[in-house]
Amino acid sequence: MTWMSQFSRIKRRMSRSVLGLPNGLYCFNYHRIGDPNESDYDPNIFSCTEQRLAEHLSFYKQHFNVLSFEQLKRALESGEQFSRPSAVITFDDGYIDNYQLAYPLLKEFDLAAAFYVVTDFVDGHELPWWDHIAWLLRSSQKDSLKLDYWKRPVTINRANIAESIQMVLRQVKKNPHPSIQHQIKEIGEQLEVAEAGVHHSRLFMNWAELNEMAQRGMHVGSHSSSHNILRHMQAQQQRDELSQSRDMLMSNLNQSVSSLAYPVGGENSFDEQTQAIAQECGYDYAFSFISGINVGNLAQKRYALSRISIDDNISVENIERTLRGLRSV
């Protein structure tokens, strides 16, 4: 039985579930797909299981005008205002499960999505900094952690390690100085755990997989070169991150790269200077990680498009509740 046929009954049950949503652009954002309990790293980066993703795609296909990224680009360039609830689907970071689990489902449901990849991670075995920190916390026997420039210590709760990881990452993201890499070194020293170093199982997609997806109608965009927080960098460093990533993608995919998703993407991770640099580097539009419904003339907002984060294996019913509470931006 295919996922499409398995969820036909869900379509019937939800036929009137989102009536009344305002017109606009709804950007649904995912990270990893799968079971967080099977990972040694950051469980919070998992958006949902494969089965739950299939439910979500059925929901989007029924209740939204799901756009290709060529359609989105044309709408942004023209300043078109959406006359019905429209949607795009995005995935950040470039984990291998996006290719193994999400991509086959997208093909089955005949839906396009965008995959925003960190070019330093493609074809590599390096742990990203958030997974590295998660690995250190999971590997330590210490009960708390506090770097000198943090306001308060973080308790390491073995019964809820996901929450402890989230709290530590929140502290790390707040501090532009020292660098994230320096903070990782300090965390490892305080926790008395050797650094994780090179990971021996591939976590991220390679160029062959990205090329396949791009040739089959998926959009591949930039998530920077290193996934460091752009606003913490000087202007030239930001320029290097965005231009080098775009150049690498175009060289390996042999196609134009028109879009960007800011690393981390919250209000403190990019600013107007970052948006100007993105435009200067040749991007036509960029996504934040700030929640909301994009309404009005989006040509004026195309370097700070809001997205709706999909987390915690959320059910379709709870996605509906989330949408009803969103503000228009």
Side-chain angles (χ1 to χ4, degrees), residues 50 101 127 188 230 265:
E50 180 185 14
L101 302 179
L127 279 178
L230 294 169

Side-chain angles (χ1 to χ4, degrees), residues 155-253:
T155 299
I156 302 173
N157 180 1
R158 302 291 158 197
N160 191 353
I161 193 66
E163 182 180 36
S164 299
I165 291 168
Q166 195 170 54
M167 292 172 67
V168 169
L169 291 175
R170 194 175 296 128
Q171 292 285 350
V172 169
K173 292 172 187 177
K174 285 180 182 177
N175 291 281
H177 304 292
S179 69
I180 290 174
Q181 287 70 27
H182 185 86
Q183 291 186 67
I184 288 174
K185 184 174 183 296
E186 287 192 62
I187 289 169
E189 289 171 352
Q190 280 208 22
L191 295 180
E192 298 180 359
V193 177
E195 291 192 4
V198 175
H199 182 75
H200 295 289
S201 297
R202 184 160 63 95
L203 283 176
F204 294 94
M205 290 184 281
N206 60 31
W207 289 116
E209 290 155 349
L210 289 169
N211 263 291
E212 179 188 337
M213 293 199 303
Q215 294 301 316
R216 298 288 183 88
M218 302 299 154
H219 181 84
V220 180
S222 169
H223 204 34
S224 81
S225 290
S226 68
H227 203 290
N228 284 314
I229 298 171
L230 294 169
R231 193 174 179 181
H232 291 181
M233 299 177 174
Q234 298 296 319
Q236 187 55 49
Q237 291 175 303
Q238 294 188 51
R239 196 170 287 110
D240 291 344
E241 278 279 328
L242 299 186
S243 62
Q244 290 171 12
S245 173
R246 185 169 183 265
D247 289 347
M248 180 70 74
L249 287 166
M250 290 194 297
S251 173
N252 282 277
L253 301 177

Side-chain angles (χ1 to χ4, degrees), residues 238-288:
Q238 294 188 51
R239 196 170 287 110
D240 291 344
E241 278 279 328
L242 299 186
S243 62
Q244 290 171 12
S245 173
R246 185 169 183 265
D247 289 347
M248 180 70 74
L249 287 166
M250 290 194 297
S251 173
N252 282 277
L253 301 177
N254 195 30
Q255 64 179 33
S256 179
V257 174
S258 60
S259 69
L260 164 72
Y262 300 117
V264 181
E267 292 179 353
N268 296 319
S269 63
F270 71 101
D271 55 18
E272 290 183 359
Q273 181 184 58
T274 310
Q275 295 179 55
I277 291 170
Q279 184 173 14
E280 174 191 327
C281 289
Y283 296 99
D284 295 319
Y285 57 96
F287 289 104
S288 75

